[in-house]
Amino acid sequence: TGNGAGYFGGGLFVNYGAHTTANNPFAGNSAGQNGGAIAVLNGQLAVTHSTFTGNSATTGGALGNLGGALGLRSSIVAYSIAG
């Protein structure tokens, strides 16, 4: 919560490998380029039962996928801003 990154994934950045995250709040994160809360570049990420609120980035206010695989299940995305 409340994290920032200059380029990708203010809360979490996945570059390689397969990862999972569950039951997490991602709130108030920001990134200068893509994925205010989470950005996936070349890896895989499965997200379940998580909440995304108030995140921001130039592209992908809450979530950004830059060529990897991003799955979102049973989660809430609200009040996030891109642009």
Side-chain angles (χ1 to χ4, degrees):
T1 299
N3 298 298
Y7 294 101
F8 307 121
L12 175 64
F13 176 59
V14 174
N15 195 14
Y16 289 101
H19 306 275
T20 61
T21 185
N23 302 310
N24 288 302
F26 291 90
N29 299 293
S30 64
Q33 297 279 326
N34 199 299
I38 293 177
V40 178
L41 182 57
N42 294 308
Q44 299 175 348
L45 179 64
V47 179
T48 58
H49 302 287
S50 295
T51 304
F52 299 84
T53 56
N55 299 289
S56 63
T58 302
T59 305
L63 304 162
N65 186 357
L66 301 153
L70 175 61
L72 184 66
R73 185 178 64 151
S74 299
S75 297
I76 297 169
V77 179
Y79 307 110
S80 294
I81 299 168

